[in-house]
Amino acid sequence: MRFLRIHHAVPFLLLAGATLLAGPARAAAGPDFQYVGQDDRVHGLAAPRGCVEAEGGGARAVTNGTGSSATLYERPGCSGRVLRVMRPGEVGQVRPYFASVRFSVTG
């Protein structure tokens, strides 16, 4: 009997370990660009390209997890003053507020 208990426990432990390992992989596959919007909710963009409408900033966090730089503008349509250029992998705050983001094209 003791051998059977160990035998049945092994698949459970393997399954539990695989589930724990899969957790971070799923999280890593999330949005490439994340920001907290004017509505105080987290927004994410997966594989953004060109100019994208996005309203955020102030004391709220912005994360550029893309492989390109992200230029944040004060107005929609990537117009108006450039508030910040975020390098790939950079995290920070953008003040006062941004309304759009242009992602550079990388070759």
Side-chain angles (χ1 to χ4, degrees):
M1 279 300 234
R2 185 172 282 208
F3 176 73
L4 291 175
R5 285 186 191 156
I6 293 172
H7 179 71
H8 290 299
V10 171
F12 172 76
L13 292 174
L14 291 175
L15 179 62
T19 302
L20 288 174
L21 292 175
R26 255 186 250 132
D32 298 319
F33 185 82
Q34 289 186 338
Y35 63 97
V36 178
Q38 300 277 326
D39 57 2
D40 290 326
R41 297 173 71 185
V42 176
H43 298 270
L45 304 170
R49 294 177 160 247
C51 183
V52 177
E53 303 300 315
E55 295 181 355
R60 299 168 178 94
V62 178
T63 303
N64 182 14
T66 68
S68 63
S69 62
T71 305
L72 292 93
Y73 292 86
E74 70 177 344
R75 295 192 191 146
C78 295
S79 63
R81 188 169 48 118
V82 171
L83 299 173
R84 183 170 180 173
V85 177
M86 297 183 76
R87 296 182 314 270
E90 188 175 355
V91 177
Q93 295 176 338
V94 178
R95 293 180 188 247
Y97 296 98
F98 61 91
S100 57
V101 185
R102 179 174 300 284
F103 296 92
S104 64
V105 178
T106 56

